[in-house]
Every structure is written in C-alpha cells, then in structure tokens.
Amino acid sequence: MSQIKLNISQSRGYEAYQLTQSKAYRNLFVTLKLRLKLRYQEMDQWRQQIKATQENIETLEGEKAQLLKDNNKIFNCNSLFTLKKELSTHYATLRELENLVAGTEENIKVLECGMFDMVQLGDNHLSTHQKIQLLGGGVDKAREIIKTLMEMEKLSSIEEVRFIDLVMHHTEYQWNKQRAEWWIDCEIWEMPVFQACMEEMIRRTHDYEEQTGRCLMTEVLEEHAKENGKKLVPLQTEHGVVMTFEEDIQSKYERHGKVMKLKSGGSVTIHKKTNGF
C-alpha cells in the first residue's frame, strides 16, 4: 500500500508537459461536473416543491369536499371561492414545476452523455493523480481500488487504472464526511460524475439490447465462459430459461439422458446451445 501511495504522488501528473497537455480537458471536465451538480440540485429542489404542492392540493381538496358535505349544499360562497382560488394557484404552480422538471431531465441526459464520454477519453489525457484530483474524493479509497485491481492482475502499473474504474468504485465520495458506516448515503448531486456515468451506462445497455435483441449480460457471461474454457448453455425450468456454465451443471446435478434430475427431486430439460443463440 505504501508503494501505491508513493507511485500516485510521483505520477506524471506533476510534470509540466502533462499539465499543459491536459489543461483543456480538465477545464472542460470541471465545467461539465459543476453543471451536472447544479442541475441535480435543481431537480432535487423542484421535486421537493412538487411534493409540497401536491400535499397542499390534497389538503385543500379535502377541505373543499368537507365544506360541501357539512353544509349540505348550503354553504358560505366566500369560503368556497377562496378554496377554489387557492387550488387554482397550486395547480398552476404544479404544472410549472412539472414543466421545469421535464425540461431539466432532458438537459441532464445530454450532460450525462457528455460526462460519460469525457470519462472514457480521460485515460488519454490524465495521469492517475489527475483523475483522483478531478473526482475530488479520497486518495485512500483510490489506493484501495488500485490495490484490489493489481491483486486481481488487472493492472501492471498504477498509471493503467481506468478513469471509469475510479468513478464507479466511488472515489468521488467524500469518505471523510461519511454519514453511514456500511453504505454510501449522499444526495446524487454530491457525486455528479458517478451518477452521470451510471445513468448513461444503463441507457446505453438498454439501447444496445433493443437494437441487437441480445442481452448484454449474456454476452459478458459467454465471453467469461470462453476465457475459462467453459460453455454457456440455456436451461428450461418451470420458472423460465436460465443460463449456466456447462461444467457447473455437471458438478451440481445428476444427468439422465436429456433430462437433468435435480437433487431436490425436480428436473429441468437441457437444450443444446446452437450457433444462432
């Protein structure tokens, strides 16, 4: 861990040529990060206002219904007029807030897409130290991530850590201000880079599956199976089709022809994988 600390502090991010080379990128990144933070804060504020307005409308509608009921159609016209006027004002406010939210949501999607692309490009412009600085989180957390990746042999040097890995492993989170012991509990605007990348990854995964008709997770599992000399096969069960590794099937269940007898007494039908699957 001490060696990781030393390497980060001595990364090429401190060299003058690297600082100059990445200056434009860093300025754009910070601008985009601050815009996202502002938009997330606005969304949080407006949604709270929408909730409060809806609660006020519910209260006024209840008062209106009670007024009509209690007086049995003989009521104070002034009271009814006042209630209707207040309701009209609150409904107008609600529509305005909902329009603001809808417009801001579209703007946020554009900003999130831009941030995700910026993070992907960051590996070409930034040192590891600069990535950590831009996220504004804790160096200790970054060291933990890098140490784990090196132990998994995903990295051969400190400088190979991907920007997206630092982002998705919550380097951005202010760990020194952690409010809960076992999980991250903060508003989304406190981690705008993480939030943007997560949302954009979900959208792109959905779009990919819509366009190809293929499940991205299935492709990941197939690649993993291939790398480990296994085969991914579909199994038809009473709960639907599930995917598993062929070697896992042989180790966990007893075979009998084309029907797999489970140790629990149930059974599933084995379907051979075809090239078209």
Side-chain angles (χ1 to χ4, degrees):
M1 186 67 75
S2 59
Q3 184 62 32
I4 292 174
K5 179 179 180 179
L6 177 65
N7 287 342
I8 289 179
S9 65
Q10 293 181 344
S11 72
R12 64 176 183 273
Y14 285 102
E15 299 177 15
Y17 79 91
Q18 183 68 12
L19 292 173
T20 302
Q21 184 181 22
S22 65
K23 183 177 181 180
Y25 173 93
R26 287 182 285 118
N27 288 342
L28 182 57
F29 183 94
V30 171
T31 299
L32 189 55
K33 179 180 177 179
L34 292 177
R35 285 181 182 173
L36 274 165
K37 181 177 180 178
L38 177 61
R39 293 294 178 267
Y40 288 142
Q41 287 175 320
E42 289 175 342
M43 286 291 287
D44 183 59
Q45 178 183 354
W46 290 332
R47 282 172 175 156
Q48 289 182 27
Q49 291 180 12
I50 285 175
K51 182 180 179 181
T53 302
Q54 289 173 332
E55 290 174 350
N56 288 335
I57 288 174
E58 184 178 351
T59 299
L60 291 171
E61 289 286 7
E63 291 178 5
K64 176 184 171 184
Q66 192 64 40
L67 178 65
L68 295 172
K69 179 181 178 182
D70 291 345
N71 290 277
N72 193 23
K73 298 186 179 181
I74 301 175
F75 46 81
N76 188 321
C77 291
N78 289 334
S79 298
L80 182 60
F81 176 78
T82 300
L83 282 172
K84 286 186 175 181
K85 185 177 180 180
E86 289 184 34
L87 279 168
S88 178
T89 300
H90 279 81
Y91 277 119
T93 300
L94 181 61
R95 287 192 296 270
E96 182 179 350
L97 288 170
E98 288 175 341
N99 289 335
L100 284 172
V101 167
T104 304
E105 282 179 340
E106 292 303 313
N107 181 239
I108 285 176
K109 287 180 182 179
V110 174
L111 294 175
E112 288 174 342
C113 178
M115 177 55 78
F116 183 80
D117 290 337
M118 284 289 292
V119 169
Q120 297 295 318
L121 291 171
D123 294 324
N124 299 325
H125 298 278
L126 303 173
S127 68
T128 296
H129 185 268
Q130 288 173 326
K131 294 170 186 175
I132 297 169
Q133 282 186 319
L134 285 177
L135 292 177
V139 175
D140 290 339
K141 186 62 177 179
R143 291 194 195 107
E144 291 179 13
I145 298 163
I146 294 170
K147 181 176 182 293
T148 300
L149 291 173
M150 293 189 75
E151 289 174 348
M152 295 171 61
E153 299 183 352
K154 299 291 185 180
L155 302 176
S156 58
S157 73
I158 303 299
E159 289 300 328
E160 289 182 3
V161 63
R162 299 187 308 164
F163 200 2
I164 191 67
D165 288 334
L166 292 173
V167 171
M168 300 311 292
H169 284 83
H170 309 126
T171 302
E172 187 179 13
Y173 183 59
Q174 299 293 321
W175 292 92
N176 60 322
K177 299 179 182 178
Q178 188 175 10
R179 292 183 286 265
E181 184 176 359
W182 301 111
W183 65 85
I184 293 175
D185 65 331
C186 66
E187 303 296 336
I188 62 173
W189 55 265
E190 294 183 64
M191 292 203 300
V193 182
F194 168 81
Q195 182 67 22
C197 290
M198 181 183 69
E199 293 292 341
E200 185 61 19
M201 288 173 69
I202 292 172
R203 278 193 293 269
R204 294 192 184 192
T205 298
H206 178 267
D207 291 344
Y208 175 83
E209 293 177 352
E210 286 287 312
Q211 294 169 6
T212 63
R214 293 273 292 165
C215 175
L216 185 61
M217 184 54 65
T218 298
E219 294 191 356
V220 171
L221 289 173
E222 286 177 343
E223 185 64 27
H224 177 75
K226 183 178 179 181
E227 291 175 354
N228 290 274
K230 297 181 181 180
K231 186 183 295 183
L232 192 68
V233 295
L235 296 177
Q236 180 65 51
T237 73
E238 60 179 331
H239 302 293
V241 178
V242 297
M243 304 300 296
T244 188
F245 295 124
E246 188 173 51
E247 290 185 12
D248 294 337
I249 298 171
Q250 295 172 345
S251 63
K252 293 180 180 179
Y253 307 115
E254 299 174 357
R255 288 176 174 271
H256 180 66
K258 291 186 177 181
V259 176
M260 184 182 302
K261 295 292 184 181
L262 305 182
K263 292 181 179 180
S264 61
S267 64
V268 294
T269 304
I270 301 173
H271 295 270
K272 292 183 179 180
K273 181 181 176 184
T274 62
N275 293 333
F277 181 81

